[in-house]
Amino acid sequence: MPQLDTSTWFITILATIMTLFILFQLKVSKYIYPSSPELKSMKSLKYNTPWETKWTKIYSPLSLPLQ
C-alpha cells in the first residue's frame, strides 16, 4: 500500500490561507464607512396602524344578553 505524500500540503494550505485573506481584504475594502459616526435619535416613532383608527368592540359570548 503506497504512503500518502504530504510534502505539498504545507504549500497548499499556505496558499489557501493567503488567498482567503486577500479575498476577505478585497471584500472589506469595498465598504464605505462614514467618516464621523453619529448617534441615532432615540425617539420612538409612532406609526398609525389600521386598527388604531377604527373603533372596535369585541363581544365575548359570556357577556352577551341571554336570549
Side-chain angles (χ1 to χ4, degrees), residues 15-61:
T16 305
I17 291 173
M18 286 175 51
T19 304
L20 289 173
F21 178 76
I22 291 169
L23 288 175
F24 182 75
Q25 293 297 319
L26 288 173
K27 278 281 207 188
V28 170
S29 68
K30 288 183 181 178
Y31 289 112
I32 299 172
Y33 296 103
S35 58
S36 61
E38 299 174 359
L39 292 174
K40 292 184 177 179
S41 73
M42 299 299 287
K43 295 179 183 177
S44 62
L45 298 174
K46 175 103 172 105
Y47 296 104
N48 288 335
T49 53
W51 56 85
E52 287 180 352
T53 57
K54 297 178 187 173
W55 181 85
T56 59
K57 187 171 183 180
I58 300 171
Y59 293 98
S60 68

